[in-house]
Amino acid sequence: MLVFEKTSLAKEIEQLIEKYGNSRSVLLSILQEIQSKHRYISDYAQQEIARHLKIQPVEVYSVISFYAFLNSEPKGRNIVRICKTISCDMKNKMSIVKAIERELGIKMGETTSDNKFTIEYTNCLGLCDEGPAMAINERVFTKLTPQTAVQHIHKVVG
Amino acid sequence: MKKDKLRNGKVLFSDYSLGEGVRKALTLSRDDILFEVKDSKLKGRGGAGFPVSTKWMLGAAAIAERKYIICNADEGEPGTFKDRVLLVEYPELVFEGMIIAGYAIGAKYGIVYLRGEYEYIRKSLEDYLNLMRNENLLGKNILGKEGFDFDIKIHLGSSAYVCGEETALIESLEGNRGEARNRPPYPVNTGFMGMPTSVNNVETLSCIPHIILKGGDWYRNLGTDKSTGTKLFSVSGDCERPDVYEWEWGITINEILEKVGAKNTKAVQVGGASGICVPKSQFDRKISYEDIPTGGSIIIFDENRDMLKVLKNFMEFFVEESCGQCTPCRIGNVKLLEGVKMIENEQYTFAYLDKLKDLAKTMQIASKCGLGQSSPNSFISILENFKNEIFYHENGVENGK
Ligand SMILES: Cc1cc2nc3c(=O)[nH]c(=O)nc-3n(C[C@H](O)[C@H](O)[C@H](O)COP(=O)(O)O)c2cc1C
Ligand code: SF4
Ligand code: FES
């Protein structure tokens, strides 16, 4: 990580501490903000957060590793999550998965070389009546066909 | 505030205007409210079915500097999406239920624990809270009631099914891994930040304004003797009209299948992955605490479905979602999944499967929280009810007869 990236991240974390306070119970809110902006929580960010909250960095890591939506390794700028739980599975989620894999030229769990997309599975999104369902970042898309799924992905900018 | 009626039901999906419930509640004493809730015999809709009045009375009796009302919106059970509909279409019921709970128990703080997957609903909920603040339904001296202050915060989860378990949820709120705590002590005594906390499901809270408005006895007259009122059902799978429905407790599986346009059904999973799989021969059973209780997930399988695949999907879910804290659940679910794969590859012996069934029973008894206690349910019920199909390769039509 470059020095100026570190300083700006340190500043960002300071601002989050100002916004939320420095008690342990704010940890998840802070991690969520870093995650949504950077798509991962770097070792450096973990150390900074730990320092402010007066806990060990390994505790921050242990929390990150517990939750499916938090990660400590870089991912693409946009995360596509396809529901693999039973109701979507029965609505032929595999055809969606295959179409997206073909279109992006990567397999589930991988990131495109331009870092734009990471694709992965998720468990039930609570949209089982409108399956197959997927989420791109925090937006959700339902009643997918292989074609509409791919169209939604191509509409993503940034 | 009246809105167009999209859905129909006797309680939750009936007419309601913002503020009615709280307005009525504030004319009553705390004891009156606890009495109405007791009279309604309302039980928790999050799955466990614990009487709401008992929890609230303990909360009201607790003496503490702070008390909390937590709305459990971590809805993660496969095939469950009714809380999403309440949060999106009926937020007034959810929030007013929390306010009334706060009034009854003497809590000033409300927290909605919203699952990470529902982040897209957060903005509209925040806007709704602001609207309620403007109407003085939240904030200080609510609706002019001297000394009654209550406000609600929304806390987002980060995707972990087990955080729906109330003590894991509290751990998560405190900034920790969502690992279930030993109970007792129960959250009503020692909950969030060690303070008395009532954790209630979205649907449970949403029933409260209607019960306060129309009375506990009105509510109790719906449903059955031990399962009073109505229930929201999240119906998905093989049917023409998957959706959320409000029906009275005591409805049979056959009636449900008829209403949602399900044809050639061979199995119905009641209660999601941690529920049980009911074969055709038992479709006359009633959904109720007396017979088959449920948090409301109904997944329908028609004759073309491979039940072993269904079971495999469920077991994969539990292997991923176990918090790993206790051995029966962490190792047990892996072993059950291995067993399913052995059957799939025809590499099993019946002796070994019997051992796995024993393991499943051990998990039900020895696991620390409801996840490990209920994850063997589908393993046991699918292998038992669909053995013709799974072991003798008969076609699905004969299953469970
Ligand atoms: C693994 C597991 C997941 C749970 N998930 C939820 C959930 O998503 N929503 C919920 O309201 N209750 C859930 N519960 C039940 C809660 O622990 C708790 O009983 C409930 O929130 C109490 O509210 P109620 O009495 O209104 O049902 C879950 C329990 C377990 C063991
Ligand atoms: S039963 Fe499973 S989810 Fe519950 S505490 Fe034990 S390991 Fe964790
Ligand atoms: S099974 Fe896919 S959203 Fe529930």
Side-chain angles (χ1 to χ4, degrees):
Chain A
M1 201 176 267
L2 300 169
V3 178
F4 71 88
E5 282 177 345
K6 279 195 175 177
T7 4
S8 88
L9 191 55
K11 272 221 184 82
E12 207 182 309
I13 290 168
E14 241 163 62
Q15 282 164 358
L16 289 173
I17 297 284
E18 254 165 53
K19 175 170 163 193
Y20 290 106
N22 66 349
S23 72
R24 169 84 197 224
S25 61
V26 305
L27 178 57
L28 270 162
S29 307
I30 292 179
L31 294 177
Q32 282 163 353
E33 293 227 14
I34 301 283
Q35 171 78 35
S36 90
K37 185 148 176 225
H38 302 274
R39 298 287 171 224
Y40 85 114
I41 303 150
S42 63
D43 288 354
Y44 180 71
Q46 293 175 37
Q47 284 162 14
E48 278 299 292
I49 295 168
R51 188 171 65 79
H52 284 289
L53 300 185
K54 299 190 177 64
I55 54 179
Q56 295 296 328
V58 66
E59 285 193 56
V60 178
Y61 176 76
S62 128
V63 168
I64 295 172
S65 67
F66 185 84
Y67 295 94
F69 284 4
L70 301 177
N71 48 278
S72 53
E73 296 297 324
K75 285 198 183 181
R77 294 191 297 283
N78 301 286
I79 301 181
V80 180
R81 296 192 173 96
I82 301 159
C83 173
K84 65 162 188 238
T85 307
I86 191 73
S87 300
C88 291
D89 186 67
M90 292 200 290
K91 293 275 179 238
N92 224 345
K93 68 118 204 312
M94 262 336 274
S95 67
I96 311 296
V97 169
K98 283 185 187 149
I100 293 177
E101 284 183 338
R102 275 197 306 272
E103 205 71 13
L104 296 178
I106 52 172
K107 295 276 167 216
M108 293 301 279
E110 296 178 350
T111 302
T112 51
S113 57
D114 62 357
N115 257 338
K116 187 166 176 187
F117 292 107
T118 296
I119 52 173
E120 56 190 38
Y121 282 118
T122 188
N123 279 323
C124 183
L125 290 167
L127 294 160
C128 333
D129 52 339
E130 298 175 48
M134 73 171 178
I136 304 179
N137 304 325
E138 65 294 319
R139 288 188 61 197
V140 293
F141 301 89
T142 56
K143 296 191 174 156
L144 299 171
T145 65
Q147 211 172 3
T148 58
V150 164
Q151 281 164 358
H152 291 308
I153 286 183
H154 282 312
K155 272 190 216 138
V156 174
V157 277
Chain B
M1 283 228 321
K2 286 255 179 212
K3 58 182 161 197
D4 292 342
K5 216 168 151 188
L6 295 168
R7 298 174 185 275
N8 273 303
K10 290 191 175 155
V11 182
L12 296 164
F13 295 162
S14 67
D15 283 337
Y16 187 82
S17 26
L18 175 65
E20 272 185 293
V22 171
R23 201 160 284 121
K24 169 85 184 286
L26 294 182
T27 65
L28 305 173
S29 71
R30 282 165 70 171
D31 285 341
D32 290 340
I33 292 182
L34 292 171
F35 175 80
E36 287 302 336
V37 176
K38 180 156 194 250
D39 200 30
S40 74
K41 294 209 222 156
L42 175 67
K43 289 182 181 170
R45 301 297 193 228
F50 190 76
V52 179
S53 64
T54 310
K55 195 184 278 185
W56 285 15
M57 279 173 187
L58 291 168
I63 297 168
E65 178 195 331
R66 276 167 167 249
K67 297 183 192 177
Y68 294 93
I69 304 296
I70 293 179
C71 168
N72 188 341
D74 196 47
E75 181 165 73
E77 186 66 50
T80 313
F81 42 94
K82 46 126 188 144
D83 292 345
R84 178 199 87 214
V85 165
L86 288 171
L87 293 164
V88 172
E89 298 174 27
Y90 300 86
E92 66 276 25
L93 293 180
V94 184
F95 294 147
E96 287 189 52
M98 293 178 75
I99 298 168
I100 296 169
Y103 179 66
I105 292 175
K108 289 192 164 87
Y109 307 91
I111 304 171
V112 177
Y113 187 95
L114 184 69
R115 69 186 299 225
E117 290 83 346
Y118 288 173
E119 187 175 355
Y120 63 97
I121 307 176
R122 184 188 194 160
K123 173 81 173 53
S124 70
L125 292 176
E126 299 276 11
D127 290 348
Y128 209 87
L129 287 175
N130 277 333
L131 183 147
M132 289 176 69
R133 285 183 193 114
N134 290 339
E135 306 257 321
N136 193 216
L137 283 162
L138 287 171
K140 292 210 174 309
N141 302 323
I142 290 174
L143 297 180
K145 182 93 180 176
E146 203 61 40
F148 177 48
D149 306 342
F150 191 81
D151 213 325
I152 297 175
K153 270 205 315 207
I154 294 174
H155 182 98
L156 198 67
S158 280
S159 186
Y161 165 69
V162 67
C163 286
E165 197 281 335
E166 56 184 9
T167 61
L169 184 155
I170 290 170
E171 283 292 320
S172 176
L173 275 179
E174 292 179 357
N176 302 322
R177 293 164 68 91
E179 290 174 349
R181 295 175 179 171
N182 281 321
R183 299 184 311 165
Y186 292 95
V188 268
N189 300 314
T190 311
F192 182 52
M193 297 302 192
M195 297 292 165
T197 303
S198 175
V199 182
N200 285 109
N201 173 256
V202 171
E203 183 185 348
T204 313
L205 290 163
S206 302
C207 296
I208 297 294
H210 285 289
I211 290 173
I212 294 304
L213 272 179
K214 294 175 208 131
D217 57 342
W218 161 80
Y219 191 81
R220 184 164 32 84
N221 283 325
L222 299 165
T224 73
D225 194 27
K226 290 204 176 79
S227 321
T228 60
T230 59
K231 177 80 194 83
L232 295 190
F233 292 85
S234 315
V235 181
S236 68
D238 295 315
C239 65
E240 280 159 20
R241 293 177 293 278
D243 204 344
V244 174
Y245 296 90
E246 178 176 6
W247 293 315
E248 284 181 61
W249 284 101
I251 189 169
T252 65
I253 295 176
N254 269 325
E255 286 167 328
I256 293 181
L257 293 175
E258 163 104 33
K259 284 177 196 284
V260 301
K263 300 213 174 67
N264 305 322
T265 307
K266 91 166 154 194
V268 176
Q269 180 79 17
V270 182
S274 46
I276 59 161
C277 195
V278 182
K280 208 180 212 162
S281 56
Q282 300 176 19
F283 284 176
D284 55 351
R285 288 179 69 180
K286 288 188 162 75
I287 307 292
S288 63
Y289 295 108
E290 296 93 323
D291 191 356
I292 311 180
T294 175
S297 165
I298 301 281
I299 309 172
I300 302 171
F301 306 103
D302 73 16
E303 280 161 5
N304 300 315
R305 299 296 171 187
D306 176 343
M307 295 313 288
L308 194 64
K309 270 199 186 152
V310 172
L311 177 57
K312 190 174 165 194
N313 190 291
F314 290 154
M315 295 321 301
E316 285 170 346
F317 174 80
F318 289 120
V319 167
E320 276 172 33
E321 298 293 348
S322 163
C323 84
Q325 201 188 169
C326 66
T327 320
C329 170
R330 181 184 62 242
I331 312 279
N333 282 309
V334 172
K335 288 287 160 200
L336 297 188
L337 175 59
E338 275 175 19
V340 174
K341 289 181 181 163
M342 284 176 183
I343 302 173
E344 194 177 49
N345 301 326
E346 305 222 25
Q347 285 172 339
Y348 63 95
T349 62
F350 282 110
Y352 186 67
L353 290 184
D354 283 342
K355 281 204 177 124
L356 286 182
K357 282 183 196 159
D358 284 344
L359 170 67
K361 284 184 191 125
T362 307
M363 291 165 68
Q364 287 175 323
I365 300 163
S367 294
K368 185 167 172 179
C369 85
L371 190 151
Q373 288 160 8
S374 59
S375 64
N377 291 350
S378 12
F379 184 85
I380 294 173
S381 65
I382 291 183
L383 289 191
E384 180 54 34
N385 292 333
F386 301 92
K387 54 175 175 256
N388 292 356
E389 168 185 333
I390 293 172
F391 299 112
Y392 322 140
H393 304 293
E394 285 179 11
N395 83 23
V397 189
E398 291 301 314
N399 263 299
K401 284 197 175 155

